[in-house]
Amino acid sequence: MKERFTRLFEYNIWANNLFADVIKSNTYKNDKITKLFHHIGNAQLIWLDRITNTEENVPEVWTEGSSIEAIELVKRSSQRWLDFIYSQEEYEDVIEYKNSKGDVYETRISDILTHVANHGTHHRGQLATLLRQEDIAPPVSDFIFYVRA
């Protein structure tokens, strides 16, 4: 299972880096682009904190910043996820955590990992649409292109 999640989160880094390059190298008017990219990083840190229980400068889910801050956050949080996966031995453990509303849940680590990866893919799809609306070609970030690279 470690190999599968390693591959998934290596893909996550690859895809996030493609979008980071496009965001960094283009001028755009729609601030939702930066907001969504920042949200990917925020959510990655929030979910990692829920699993590791570290409470290390965890942002709110929609905390915003500049595009450069968003890029740095996404890169840092993506790498931290990969580091976690490298060190993790058991993926079927169930953890208890509180969501942003304070509700308590129990979820398997493997399900959280799947959620985090899918969450990033979902929002990168939204980013692709927003970039197109700005006449900026979004990167091709489908998993199969990662596999072929």
Side-chain angles (χ1 to χ4, degrees):
M1 194 170 282
K2 179 181 281 207
E3 182 179 324
R4 187 75 190 137
F5 285 123
T6 298
R7 188 166 173 86
L8 184 60
F9 277 80
E10 286 173 347
Y11 159 71
N12 188 58
I13 288 174
W14 175 84
N16 283 337
N17 285 341
L18 292 176
F19 275 87
D21 290 345
V22 169
I23 289 169
K24 188 184 337 184
S25 62
N26 286 279
T27 303
Y28 49 87
K29 294 177 185 171
N30 190 339
D31 63 345
K32 288 182 184 178
I33 293 169
T34 301
K35 185 176 183 174
L36 267 177
F37 203 61
H38 218 283
H39 173 71
I40 291 171
N42 291 338
Q44 288 182 159
L45 285 180
I46 290 166
W47 279 106
L48 187 60
D49 177 65
R50 288 174 180 166
I51 291 177
T52 61
N53 214 9
T54 55
E55 298 184 23
E56 256 182 54
N57 299 322
V58 179
E60 295 294 321
V61 72
W62 288 106
T63 299
E64 296 179 51
S66 70
S67 60
I68 296 302
E69 290 169 327
I71 289 167
E72 290 172 4
L73 174 67
V74 169
K75 287 184 181 215
R76 185 176 74 249
S77 61
S78 297
Q79 185 60 52
R80 284 187 58 202
W81 265 106
L82 194 55
D83 293 344
F84 169 79
I85 292 164
Y86 289 154
S87 68
Q88 185 66 18
E89 295 300 325
E90 184 52 55
Y91 296 93
E92 295 307 311
D93 285 350
V94 174
I95 63 155
E96 182 178 285
Y97 61 92
K98 290 181 183 178
N99 69 4
S100 58
K101 295 177 183 176
D103 300 326
V104 177
Y105 293 94
E106 291 184 352
T107 307
R108 288 185 306 195
I109 291 172
S110 62
D111 290 335
I112 292 171
L113 280 133
T114 301
H115 168 73
V116 170
N118 284 334
H119 179 264
T121 300
H122 167 73
H123 287 305
R124 286 190 299 269
Q126 291 177 316
L127 284 167
T129 298
L130 293 173
L131 289 168
R132 280 187 193 98
Q133 290 170 355
E134 296 273 335
D135 292 322
I136 300 169
V140 178
S141 62
D142 291 337
F143 183 79
I144 198 67
F145 289 95
Y146 165 73
V147 171
R148 293 175 184 162

